[in-house]
Amino acid sequence: MGRRPAVVAHRGASEVSPEHTLAAYRRAVEAGADGLECDIRLTADGHLVCVHDRRIDRTSNGRGVLSTMSLEELDSFDWGSWKNPWAELDDEAELPDSDMTKVLTLEKLLATVYDAGRPLELAIETKHPTRYAGLVERRLIEMLDRFGWAHPKVGSESPVRVMSFSWLSLRRMRVLAPGLRTVLLMDRVPLRFRDGSLPTGVSYAGPSLDIVTAHPEYVDRAHKHGHQVHVWTVNTEQDVRHCRDIGVDALISDRPELALEVLAEDPADAPSAQPEQRKTLKDRLRARR
């Protein structure tokens, strides 16, 4: 049995805490996650913030397009109460504080990783398309440089890797910081890369869970080309077991605590994931029709 997959907390421990808040990331670190994942967007005044959506409506009490707003404007909204709108009626609910309600800047998240007291990786996804195009990647390199993570010395590795569905974004990263690892995210594998190869300069494959459920052999193909496979988003016990059994290198999960618990079990004592996986995929395909 090889090394277990690394567990990367998707937007923090986002099943429990509001996604992309400092509270969600601190919970993931405390749970023992091997890495953290975040999405970044650029504000109108040039700050990188950890927010997934183009609009802020879903995860804050504000409205509008993030890229048109300043950091000060974004900081005036509540980014956590949507997760548990009934908290004020629950005597046992955790009282929200600034870690749970304030918009999180990438700088603050990088500082959290830097001060973690143990090795901790950070997977940063650049969101495209955006009105700021290549400025996102330039600002990202500037920020990583402040922590000494943009240009690792020969023989060393930055704790940061950059992910994107946009090959153009990853190509910009290759030009700006050739020493950084990159991950091509895929919700489908382009025909020319189904043999497990990747575009020149891309370090790792980032297929969806659906891809490796339907085509588990893709993992071996990527490994034969020297690429790691990082799968998103893995949230059930059976999916965690499936990813472990087919040899993925990292799984990205909203539930890092659950993933770590499942991966700690003896595989010989665990139920087989395969029959459940086939059923799950069939159900997913039916639901899409």
Side-chain angles (χ1 to χ4, degrees):
M1 182 68 183
R3 179 182 178 273
R4 71 159 175 82
V7 174
V8 180
H10 186 238
R11 309 177 197 172
S14 55
E15 173 77 10
V16 179
S17 301
E19 66 181 63
H20 282 132
T21 60
L22 191 56
Y25 288 109
R26 284 182 170 164
R27 177 162 186 145
V29 173
E30 290 167 4
D34 303 296
L36 309 175
E37 184 271 353
C38 72
D39 306 291
I40 57 169
R41 289 188 178 275
L42 194 63
T43 67
D45 54 344
H47 294 274
L48 289 171
V49 291
C50 301
V51 178
H52 178 271
D53 300 351
R54 173 178 171 272
R55 296 184 60 89
I56 68 172
D57 307 41
R58 179 178 65 87
T59 55
S60 82
N61 62 349
R63 294 182 63 82
V65 176
L66 185 148
S67 61
T68 66
M69 301 180 184
S70 68
L71 179 60
E72 184 178 8
E73 287 177 277
L74 294 171
D75 206 38
S76 69
F77 299 124
D78 182 331
W79 292 82
S81 296
W82 65 271
K83 185 72 173 177
N84 184 6
W86 309 109
E88 62 184 22
L89 304 178
D90 184 355
D91 293 338
E92 298 181 359
E94 184 180 2
L95 293 176
D97 58 22
S98 60
D99 287 355
M100 195 178 294
T101 59
K102 290 294 185 181
V103 67
L104 179 63
T105 63
L106 178 63
E107 183 175 19
K108 185 170 287 189
L109 181 56
L110 291 173
T112 299
V113 172
Y114 190 87
D115 295 333
R118 64 175 175 87
L120 191 64
E121 299 220 325
L122 180 60
I124 300 174
E125 180 182 347
T126 60
K127 305 300 291 185
H128 289 281
T130 171
R131 72 180 64 205
Y132 298 122
L135 186 57
V136 172
E137 286 77 21
R138 291 200 296 274
R139 286 284 188 268
L140 174 56
I141 295 302
E142 290 170 5
M143 181 60 65
L144 294 179
D145 257 334
R146 297 183 196 177
F147 290 82
W149 289 342
H151 304 282
K153 296 179 181 178
V154 175
S156 65
E157 210 168 57
S158 172
V160 172
R161 56 182 175 265
V162 178
M163 310 191 300
S164 188
F165 286 95
S166 167
W167 162 229
L168 181 57
S169 174
L170 299 184
R171 190 166 64 183
R172 291 188 192 113
M173 293 304 302
R174 182 185 175 200
V175 172
L176 294 169
L180 279 184
R181 295 165 294 161
T182 53
V183 185
L184 179 61
L185 298 173
M186 296 175 282
D187 51 20
R188 58 175 293 279
V189 181
L191 184 61
R192 67 185 183 278
F193 298 131
R194 290 182 186 176
D195 63 349
S197 62
L198 290 171
T200 302
V202 174
S203 312
Y204 304 152
S208 68
L209 176 63
D210 280 355
I211 290 172
V212 299
T213 299
H215 304 285
E217 70 280 359
Y218 174 77
V219 177
D220 283 339
R221 291 175 185 169
H223 285 166
K224 287 176 182 176
H225 281 270
H227 303 305
Q228 289 192 18
V229 179
H230 296 193
V231 177
W232 53 276
T233 307
V234 187
N235 287 335
T236 70
E237 292 184 19
Q238 67 219 36
D239 288 335
V240 171
R241 293 189 186 105
H242 176 64
C243 287
R244 176 201 63 201
D245 293 346
I246 63 176
V248 309
D249 302 281
L251 55 88
I252 302 171
S253 178
D254 298 328
R255 308 173 71 186
E257 294 168 79
L258 172 74
L260 289 163
E261 182 180 329
V262 171
L263 292 173
E265 68 189 13
D266 186 340
D269 297 332
S272 172
Q274 298 304 320
E276 288 298 324
Q277 286 298 328
R278 286 193 291 269
K279 179 180 178 182
T280 300
L281 177 62
K282 184 178 179 181
D283 290 343
R284 285 175 182 158
L285 294 174
R286 184 185 297 118
R288 288 179 178 178
R289 291 173 186 161

